[in-house]
Amino acid sequence: MNELFAFLQRLLPQHAVSRLAGRLANSRARWIRRPFVHGFARFYRVDLSEAERPDPDDYVSFNDFFTRALRADARPLDPDPRALVAPVDGVVSQAGPLDAGRLLQSKGVAYRLEDLIEGDAAAFHGGSFVTLYLAPADYHRVHAPAGGRLAATTAIPGRLFSVNARTEAAVTDLFCRNERLVCEFETGHGRMLVVLVGALIVASIETVWGGPTSPYRRLQRDAWQRTFARGEELGRFLLGSTVIVCCEPGRVVWEPTIRAGTRVRMGQRLGRLVD
């Protein structure tokens, strides 16, 4: 069934479907917005009690609802300044060492970090990674796992496969095929990568610093000099997706609970950073 699910996605005009869905999701017409928002909230049992605007009719479009802000007290950061915190609400897909620069995608399936970021990843060989999957009902803003300076980004065009467990098991190098934005940070605990991976349907990635506009038409590398505090918002997904965080060797010790299938919330401790 996983192979059939992936095969049907290959047949789809993924970008065309996603762009059409994006236009509908961005519509402010009440006859489009209201059934989309109310239907989605009911079907996925979205908890709006944590939102700044708990009334679903207060949103001007489905995208406005989907990227909703939470109350200031809804996601407290772990108080330990050395804690590497979850950048999103989601489920741990995989976590562990970057053995020979390879990340585990699913059981028995691995891929190369160089292919994911389209660049030199030697500094991260032997390091650590965690992959976090965001379900449709989750809070979809992305935050900094640690404080540091955004040094560069690489916007990489690609496909728009869905990124759930069924597709991960069936599509080799899934995250290396999809559109993605690689964010390179310099922190007090070494270099860190935060990779935002797009997915099927709306598939748009937005950043707070005005980075490249998704969908990406070509590979684009940009240098930046912007500092982010731990927990500060980096950007958001318009229906998606996955975030992958990578640290250099010896820089983080994962919490024992951080393993495949663990649900986390933004600001929760994933591990402890080491000098």
Side-chain angles (χ1 to χ4, degrees):
M1 287 300 292
N2 291 342
E3 288 74 15
L4 176 60
F5 184 60
F7 174 74
L8 292 174
Q9 289 186 62
R10 288 188 177 97
L11 295 180
L12 280 175
Q14 294 173 341
H15 280 274
V17 169
S18 296
R19 298 288 78 79
L20 173 61
R23 285 195 289 271
L24 291 172
N26 210 36
S27 172
R28 297 191 173 205
R30 188 175 187 275
W31 65 274
I32 294 177
R33 166 185 54 82
R34 198 171 191 280
F36 270 41
V37 170
H38 283 262
F40 187 95
R42 282 195 303 270
F43 185 82
Y44 288 107
R45 300 180 181 178
V46 177
D47 181 7
L48 286 174
S49 66
E50 299 178 320
E52 276 186 357
R53 293 172 285 167
D55 185 345
D57 287 324
D58 283 347
Y59 296 92
V60 299
S61 68
F62 178 79
N63 278 344
D64 185 35
F65 159 76
F66 192 79
T67 60
R68 61 195 173 276
L70 301 182
R71 298 191 323 266
D73 62 347
R75 295 292 183 273
L77 294 179
D78 187 285
D80 183 351
R82 288 179 176 267
L84 181 77
V85 300
V88 293
D89 286 7
V91 172
V92 177
S93 174
Q94 298 293 335
L98 276 158
D99 289 330
R102 298 181 70 84
L103 299 80
L104 193 63
Q105 177 176 300
S106 62
K107 187 175 180 180
V109 179
Y111 60 97
R112 300 192 326 142
L113 182 58
E114 280 87 353
D115 295 334
L116 178 69
I117 68 173
E118 293 282 346
D120 182 13
F124 292 90
H125 288 201
S128 303
F129 82 97
V130 61
T131 302
L132 301 167
Y133 166 69
L134 289 74
D138 286 327
Y139 167 64
H140 272 74
R141 298 193 181 193
V142 183
H143 298 254
R149 181 176 65 86
L150 177 67
T153 59
T154 304
I156 305 170
R159 302 291 299 275
L160 292 172
F161 287 101
S162 68
V163 291
N164 56 31
R166 293 169 64 188
T167 313
E168 287 181 21
V171 178
T172 304
D173 293 340
L174 171 63
F175 303 128
C176 304
R177 295 171 183 260
N178 274 17
E179 176 177 287
R180 55 208 182 273
L181 181 68
V182 181
C183 304
E184 302 176 32
F185 288 88
E186 295 177 354
T187 80
H189 305 278
R191 293 167 59 194
M192 176 181 71
L193 301 176
V194 180
V195 184
L196 284 66
V197 184
L200 189 64
I201 308 296
V202 180
S204 187
I205 300 169
E206 293 183 354
T207 66
V208 299
W209 62 85
T213 301
S214 173
Y216 307 132
R217 305 299 183 188
R218 60 181 178 84
L219 189 145
Q220 179 176 334
R221 304 187 195 276
D222 294 291
W224 305 93
Q225 293 289 331
R226 174 157 178 173
T227 300
F228 287 87
R230 185 179 63 138
E232 187 175 349
E233 184 182 344
L234 302 177
R236 59 196 67 175
F237 286 117
L238 302 182
L239 214 66
S241 175
T242 292
V243 173
I244 302 167
V245 179
C246 301
C247 296
E248 291 181 313
R251 294 297 191 174
V252 64
V253 179
W254 297 121
E255 292 292 296
T257 55
I258 301 305
R259 54 181 180 269
T262 300
R263 170 158 284 281
V264 299
R265 285 156 60 101
M266 195 286 289
Q268 176 182 334
R269 178 199 296 248
L270 298 178
R272 194 167 193 273
L273 292 165
V274 179
D275 288 335

